Amino acid sequence: METIFLTGFMGAGKSTIARELGRRLSMTVFDTDELVEQFCQKSIPAIFAEEGEAAFRRHESSILRSVAKAGVIVSTGGGIVLDETNRRFMREHGIVIYLHVDPNMAIRRLKNDRSRPLLKNRETAHVFRLMASRLPFYLEADYIVDTTMKSVDTVVDEMIGFLVRHERFWA
Ligand code: S3P
């Protein structure tokens, strides 16, 4: 089985959906944010504050390469697609599924969250701009699911429906 990479904006539900997809398909799940935190022994806000965003991106890119093994689901941080080499790496090493979320819904889901340095500014215009600047990169995925108004089960059903028809999934 191929590696499955889940991409998408903050608040799309990547981690929750990855866990449920992993349970349903009996596949191991890795989360790049969690692994970066374990590797650095500090939280993402602390990495951003002490080392800067560029250092976080370097850690994230090397973790991505270390976890991409056959039969594994990788839930990625929302900004992983900013790096062209990360996008190419995911395309060449697995199946990329983009979980879309409407930016208004992302703001709603994350309104009490304090763990995302890039969402310190919660103004709608800022979040829309961030999403718009990334959308072309997210849309390079092999498959797109809109999570905005759907339950985790519905999203996972759609993903499995796509995967079982995808010849590379069984390779
Ligand atoms: C980021 C998203 C976060 C985390 C970091 C940066 C981004 O992950 O990697 O705060 O640039 O969109 P989630 O997408 O899991 O929230």
Side-chain angles (χ1 to χ4, degrees):
M1 258 185 234
E2 280 260 22
T3 311
I4 300 169
F5 297 100
L6 303 190
T7 63
F9 201 71
M10 297 167 273
K14 298 178 297 277
S15 306
T16 310
I17 289 165
R19 273 196 300 277
E20 181 57 15
L21 186 66
R23 194 187 67 75
R24 296 262 300 268
L25 296 176
S26 301
M27 291 173 76
T28 306
V29 176
F30 289 118
D31 185 311
T32 59
D33 285 341
E34 275 176 24
L35 293 172
V36 168
E37 290 188 321
Q38 279 169 25
F39 176 78
C40 296
Q41 294 287 296
K42 51 187 159 187
S43 69
I44 290 177
I47 300 170
F48 269 68
E50 292 163 24
E51 302 178 32
E53 180 174 348
F56 172 78
R57 299 294 173 207
R58 283 195 294 278
H59 296 311
E60 183 176 51
S61 297
S62 67
I63 291 286
L64 176 71
R65 280 150 185 77
S66 70
V67 291
K69 307 264 175 336
V72 160
I73 297 168
V74 184
S75 174
T76 63
I80 209 143
V81 296
L82 292 171
D83 181 328
E84 209 272 325
T85 64
N86 287 347
R87 301 200 301 278
R88 187 157 10 106
F89 179 85
M90 292 191 285
R91 267 200 314 274
E92 290 176 358
H93 291 82
I95 300 171
V96 184
I97 301 184
Y98 165 49
L99 301 178
H100 179 74
V101 63
D102 179 277
N104 285 310
M105 179 61 89
I107 294 170
R108 192 134 43 106
R109 287 184 187 162
L110 299 174
K111 69 173 183 302
N112 297 319
D113 181 273
R114 294 288 170 267
S115 69
R116 288 166 171 96
L118 297 183
L119 274 194
K120 266 195 202 139
N121 175 356
R122 271 152 220 279
E123 276 170 37
T124 311
H126 166 73
V127 177
F128 269 70
R129 264 198 308 276
L130 198 56
M131 163 74 95
S133 66
R134 293 174 174 188
L135 203 52
F137 304 142
Y138 290 138
L139 294 177
E140 290 179 12
D142 296 298
Y143 188 64
I144 298 166
V145 188
D146 191 346
T147 69
T148 307
M149 299 296 281
K150 292 180 192 152
S151 68
V152 172
D153 279 343
T154 304
V155 171
V156 170
D157 285 345
E158 278 184 38
M159 292 164 85
I160 292 176
F162 161 74
L163 287 168
V164 296
R165 285 170 183 77
H166 197 304
E167 80 241 19
R168 273 168 53 211
F169 178 63
W170 301 105

